[in-house]
Amino acid sequence: MMVNRNYCLLCGCGKEKATYKCEGCMNSYCKNHLQDHQKDLELQLDEIENERNILRQTLLEQQQQQQQPNQRLLIEQIDDWKRKSIKKIEQTAEEIGEFILAETNKHFRKVEVNLERLTDEIKEIRQENDFNERNLNDFKAKLEELQRQLNSPTNISLKEENSSSFINKIYVDIAETLKWKQNAITIAGGNGQGNELSQLSRPWSIYIDDDKTIYVVDMFNHRIVAWKQDTLYGEIITSQNQRLNFPSKIILDKINDCFIIADYANERVVRWSRRACEETIIRGVKCVDVLLYNSEYLYVSDEDKHEVRRWKIGENQGVLVAGGNGSGNDLNQFHKPHFIFLDQDETLYVSDLRNHRVMKWTKGAKEGIVVAGGQGQGSSLKQLSYPQGIFVDRIGNLYVADSLNDRIVRWTKDANEGSIIVDGGNQSNKLSNPIGLSFDTENNLYVVDHDNHRIQKFLVDDFIN
């Protein structure tokens, strides 16, 4: 401490004295008061040491007993994660095992049915005693095909998904050779345009639940209708108080047990719980399509702003993920983006309606890649005409509702042109402006036949030619 001629902080006499300046508090003290100040500092240091000793003792006790609250909570969280992860792995393995067993049984049954058909054909031609080399060659070809099918595994394989996750997912992969019967089954509507429970009016899209209940967005009736399997009538699930205005999409948030609806003309996205009233969660969007990711984020296509944004549920501002550079046909633009699809790598696919193309935007990309169409409006296999609903399977095959060409086309990965998989065949089954499309767990194809006011189901074609 420094010695000066000054006034002591604690003396009240007002006389100038020899003082000592404390470098800690920067106050000046006479000799007597300096000793008192030092004793006070020693007492404070004793208190600090005492608190340190108490903390050290507590630390030793908790280390021995391992009873620190935060530590126990973390251990409990880890144990809970382990139980849930093991349960999820076991459940996934069990589900895939059951699926493969069922598919294997179906495979053998298909071969058996085809063999029975061939047997009947041989019996018939032998009874008629009217056959030639052409018939025999046809029988040989069918027999060879049946032999090939019997000796081959089913058209499924097991693949492991490469990801940055701790545990890679596995999934069942369906072969590209899958075909669908052209004679469709009408599963909803089909009784003319109207608002009766057996009718639809220009339906736009569908959602298929696990029990195969079809939720139909009955756009021009401004309602959502649930059609259970093998029923003739639908059930309106949205109340009149909701006042939907040309709704365009419905999805089910299973975790939160609620529906999410794109209310197109009202320019909003609403969440509707079966236990409570509706809630507007996004405003000011001309939303044609919405999809849910991880029960936390919504991807929304906005045809007026020519963009797709990702919204975290509960937040007021979305993050731009594709487009947003005005209307145009450059690779960073859209002209009326409609339907969207997100694959397991968070790659976004967008049907770019008036550019007559489908675009692929990888995560974080500033521009997209044309994966279908993009050759101007037309009906050739290289072209699309106002593409609408889209779906991408695990191996990258793209399925498109080519609306004004009245067909569903498949573009295999990196293909230069598509192939028609269904168009409805004859006049009664002919598609007219198909909009939405979807698949069930058995790979049957569902098409929203917009101008025919019905939902068509195309079954997988199991038989050989």
Side-chain angles (χ1 to χ4, degrees):
M1 295 186 182
M2 298 177 60
V3 181
N4 291 306
R5 300 295 298 177
N6 211 324
Y7 298 95
C8 175
L9 177 69
L10 300 179
C11 289
C13 62
K15 295 181 180 181
E16 187 174 355
K17 296 181 179 181
T19 59
Y20 303 85
K21 188 174 184 178
C22 175
E23 296 296 335
C25 64
M26 302 304 292
N27 291 320
S28 298
Y29 300 93
C30 66
K31 187 173 182 180
N32 291 334
H33 286 131
L34 177 63
Q35 293 176 353
D36 294 338
H37 179 59
Q38 287 176 328
K39 289 180 180 179
D40 183 58
L41 292 177
E42 288 177 359
L43 288 174
Q44 292 182 41
L45 181 60
D46 290 342
E47 289 180 3
I48 291 173
E49 285 189 324
N50 185 48
E51 290 178 1
R52 181 212 57 189
N53 291 335
I54 292 173
L55 180 60
R56 173 178 286 176
Q57 182 63 30
T58 303
L59 173 63
L60 291 173
E61 290 175 356
Q62 291 189 357
Q63 283 179 333
Q64 291 173 355
Q65 300 177 7
Q66 293 186 352
Q67 290 182 348
Q68 186 178 6
N70 287 341
Q71 186 182 40
R72 291 201 311 274
L73 179 61
L74 289 173
I75 294 299
E76 289 173 0
Q77 290 175 345
I78 292 171
D79 290 340
D80 184 56
W81 169 82
K82 181 173 70 173
R83 285 192 299 270
K84 288 180 178 178
S85 298
I86 292 173
K87 183 177 180 180
K88 188 175 293 185
I89 292 170
E90 290 175 342
Q91 182 179 354
T92 301
E94 183 177 351
E95 289 174 354
I96 291 181
E98 290 175 353
F99 177 83
I100 291 176
L101 181 60
E103 287 296 306
T104 302
N105 291 334
K106 282 172 59 178
H107 171 72
F108 288 131
R109 178 56 184 159
K110 292 171 191 176
V111 175
E112 183 181 8
V113 169
N114 280 301
L115 184 59
E116 289 174 356
R117 292 176 63 194
L118 179 59
T119 301
D120 291 340
E121 291 176 15
I122 294 174
K123 286 181 179 179
E124 181 180 354
I125 202 170
R126 184 178 289 280
Q127 288 174 356
E128 294 175 354
N129 197 25
D130 182 18
F131 55 91
N132 53 37
E133 289 84 358
R134 186 180 301 173
N135 302 118
L136 297 178
N137 289 335
D138 180 56
F139 290 152
K140 288 179 181 178
K142 289 183 177 180
L143 194 58
E144 289 175 0
E145 174 62 17
L146 286 172
Q147 186 67 50
R148 185 195 65 79
Q149 289 185 9
L150 184 60
N151 294 335
S152 302
T154 60
N155 65 342
I156 60 175
S157 60
L158 199 63
K159 291 192 175 182
E160 186 173 339
E161 178 182 301
N162 293 322
S163 70
S164 58
S165 302
F166 181 64
I167 300 174
N168 289 342
K169 297 178 181 178
I170 59 173
Y171 58 89
V172 175
D173 183 32
I174 306 299
E176 295 179 16
T177 55
L178 209 59
K179 294 182 180 180
W180 290 265
K181 295 179 180 179
Q182 295 302 301
N183 292 327
I185 303 169
T186 300
I187 59 170
N191 296 300
Q193 184 176 11
N195 61 6
E196 300 295 330
L197 292 180
S198 63
Q199 295 178 305
L200 298 171
S201 181
R202 299 194 185 280
W204 190 261
S205 64
I206 59 173
Y207 176 85
I208 305 174
D209 204 350
D210 292 339
D211 63 358
K212 294 188 179 178
T213 297
I214 310 295
Y215 293 91
V216 182
V217 178
D218 193 6
M219 179 178 264
F220 278 55
N221 279 327
H222 313 287
R223 66 189 186 184
I224 308 296
V225 185
W227 289 71
K228 294 191 178 296
Q229 192 173 13
D230 301 324
T231 56
L232 299 177
Y233 300 93
E235 176 187 354
I236 301 172
I237 66 167
T238 47
S239 66
Q240 293 181 348
N241 295 331
Q242 286 185 284
R243 298 177 184 175
L244 297 176
N245 193 0
F246 292 98
S248 57
K249 186 65 177 289
I250 183 171
I251 52 179
L252 176 61
D253 182 354
K254 297 179 182 178
I255 292 180
N256 297 306
D257 191 28
C258 63
F259 293 106
I260 295 174
I261 302 171
D263 194 4
Y264 172 78
N266 280 329
E267 299 188 6
R268 62 178 184 164
V269 177
V270 297
R271 177 164 52 194
W272 180 67
S273 172
R274 285 173 277 196
R275 299 188 302 269
C277 60
E278 71 175 53
E279 173 192 9
T280 299
I281 54 178
I282 301 176
R283 300 178 186 273
V285 290
K286 206 66 174 290
C287 177
V288 178
D289 198 8
V290 58
L291 59 84
L292 181 65
Y293 178 69
N294 279 351
S295 295
E296 185 178 6
Y297 295 95
L298 293 174
Y299 284 75
V300 174
S301 66
D302 189 331
E303 72 162 17
D304 275 4
K305 297 185 180 73
H306 311 285
E307 66 182 22
V308 179
R309 285 185 178 269
R310 182 181 68 243
W311 298 73
K312 186 171 184 178
I313 297 177
E315 295 187 353
N316 296 322
Q317 186 64 40
V319 177
L320 182 69
V321 293
N325 296 297
S327 174
N329 61 4
D330 289 340
L331 294 179
N332 65 347
Q333 293 179 305
F334 297 119
H335 190 182
K336 301 289 184 185
H338 268 206
F339 285 83
I340 54 179
F341 185 91
L342 194 71
D343 70 10
Q344 65 270 17
D345 298 319
E346 294 184 58
T347 296
L348 182 71
Y349 294 79
V350 184
S351 61
D352 192 3
L353 184 75
R354 295 193 178 177
N355 282 325
H356 312 289
R357 66 187 184 184
V358 177
M359 303 289 291
K360 179 175 79 171
W361 289 65
T362 56
K363 186 178 181 180
K366 300 301 181 182
E367 62 180 31
I369 302 167
V370 179
V371 291
Q375 304 294 322
Q377 183 181 7
S379 60
S380 78
L381 292 179
K382 294 181 181 292
Q383 294 175 302
L384 297 171
S385 182
Y386 291 90
Q388 294 279 12
I390 53 177
F391 180 87
V392 182
D393 65 22
R394 290 282 190 173
I395 55 178
N397 295 323
L398 169 67
Y399 300 82
V400 185
D402 192 6
S403 66
L404 292 195
N405 282 324
D406 302 323
R407 64 192 186 186
I408 307 298
V409 294
R410 173 170 57 194
W411 292 64
T412 57
K413 193 173 182 180
D414 301 323
N416 293 319
E417 63 179 33
S419 59
I420 301 171
I421 59 171
V422 296
D423 59 8
N426 59 40
Q427 193 60 37
S428 63
N429 281 283
K430 192 72 176 176
L431 297 176
S432 181
N433 192 16
I435 302 293
L437 61 83
S438 186
F439 292 88
D440 63 20
T441 54
E442 296 174 349
N443 299 308
N444 298 310
L445 170 63
Y446 297 75
V447 178
V448 180
D449 198 0
H450 183 70
D451 288 352
N452 285 324
H453 317 291
R454 64 188 181 182
I455 309 300
Q456 297 289 82
K457 178 180 179 180
F458 293 87
L459 298 173
V460 172
D461 192 353
D462 295 331
F463 298 115
I464 63 173
N465 295 322

